[in-house]
Amino acid sequence: MLDVRRLRVLLAVVSTGSVSSAAANLGYTPSAISQQISTLEREAGLTLLSKAGRGVRPTAAGRLLAEHAAVITNKLAEAETALSDLRAGRTGRMRVTYFTTAGAVLVPPAVAEFRGEFPATALDLTVTDPEDPLQEVKADRADVAITVTLREEEPYAPGIRFQHLLDDPYRAVLPKGHPLGRQRVVDLAQLADQPWVDNEPLPGQCREVVLESCRSAGFQPDFAVQAGEYVSAQGFVAAGLGVSLIPAMALRAVNPNVLVRRLRNPEPVRRIYAATPEADAENPATLGLLRALRAAASAAAAR
């Protein structure tokens, strides 16, 4: 295989027409240049240069390799520039996965802030409900995932770095006029005998947050209606068909015919993290997106 460094030496000699001039330009000795050319001729199996007065001129093979060397040199320079831009977050593409309510509350303001700082970096945005967005990072199909955990301990996965964004507590959503609506805070066990409106399409981390809290309160909820998502769940609750537990971040718009109450003993909380591959965690664009997500999370938590 031809050595790229020797091709660059050949290009310098052909461009200047002199071994000594090429040596001066490259910072080598003339003998070192001659050795590089001799080695390249052995690799090519052809004579590349011939004497021309005090200088040299390329043979047909020398001209051919010099032309290719020019192309290769330009491509390497382009690659170095592209890598420099990528390190600085000026170009490239990032794949971001998230669950639905993060897409409604956290992602839009974060993307707006990110694009102001990194306008040349494209974002591929994908909702993965009901699948856990973290699986996309683990499978190398995403660069950033907004994911939910149900434990207080920081999550761990080999090769992945986690950044806590916010804790999102669940609220009891009751039909207007419900007896428990007279309370400011509802004990979770008080909902044990109520019909429930399910608001998750399939088993996943968000549903497990609710089910684990119910188990801690000593009961298993009786799902009378399968709504499949939060807005429809409010509609079924408003119609008096049951109660539901909905995270605060999903209650930006509240049906006028429901009551929203805090929970305790225990209070279900979904803990929201951004996950990134460890290898890319210090990339400027990745750090920029994480900053934007933290700012969006702080604004959401303050509401």
Side-chain angles (χ1 to χ4, degrees), residues 59-205:
T59 64
R63 284 194 301 273
L64 176 68
L65 282 185
E67 290 171 0
H68 284 286
V71 173
I72 292 169
T73 299
N74 289 336
K75 288 297 182 184
L76 286 173
E78 290 174 8
E80 289 169 355
T81 300
L83 281 174
S84 176
D85 287 342
L86 188 60
R87 282 192 297 268
R90 290 190 291 267
T91 61
R93 181 174 296 275
M94 291 179 62
R95 302 160 297 173
V96 184
T97 58
Y98 49 90
F99 55 93
T100 302
T101 45
V105 178
L106 301 181
V107 175
V111 168
E113 181 175 336
F114 177 84
R115 284 184 174 167
E117 186 177 0
F118 298 92
T121 300
L123 293 178
D124 290 336
L125 307 173
T126 305
V127 178
T128 62
D129 282 347
E131 299 297 326
D132 181 3
L134 179 60
Q135 302 308 314
E136 298 299 294
V137 171
K138 290 180 176 179
D140 195 29
R141 291 190 295 265
D143 304 299
V144 176
I146 304 174
T147 187
V148 168
T149 69
L150 56 155
R151 305 275 187 261
E152 291 187 16
E153 300 83 6
E154 182 170 321
Y156 170 78
I160 296 176
R161 186 180 297 185
F162 290 89
Q163 172 74 61
H164 181 254
L165 297 178
L166 77 159
D167 290 339
D168 191 21
Y170 279 76
R171 303 296 188 223
V173 180
L174 313 170
K176 218 166 201 180
H178 194 284
L180 293 176
R182 293 192 292 267
Q183 301 177 202
R184 294 182 60 187
V185 184
V186 174
D187 285 307
L188 186 57
Q190 291 180 282
L191 302 177
D193 297 328
Q194 300 288 320
W196 281 51
V197 176
D198 191 6
N199 49 50
E200 295 293 340
L202 288 173
Q205 289 290 87

Side-chain angles (χ1 to χ4, degrees), residues 170-176 180-181 183-186 234 244 246-248 251 253-255 257-263:
Y170 279 76
R171 303 296 188 223
V173 180
L174 313 170
K176 218 166 201 180
L180 293 176
Q183 301 177 202
R184 294 182 60 187
V185 184
V186 174
Q234 287 194 58
S244 193
I246 297 177
L251 288 169
V254 177
N255 188 299
N257 293 311
V258 304
L259 303 172
V260 177
R261 296 293 181 264
R262 293 181 58 188
L263 288 158

Side-chain angles (χ1 to χ4, degrees), residues 71 104 213 237:
V71 173
S213 296
V237 172

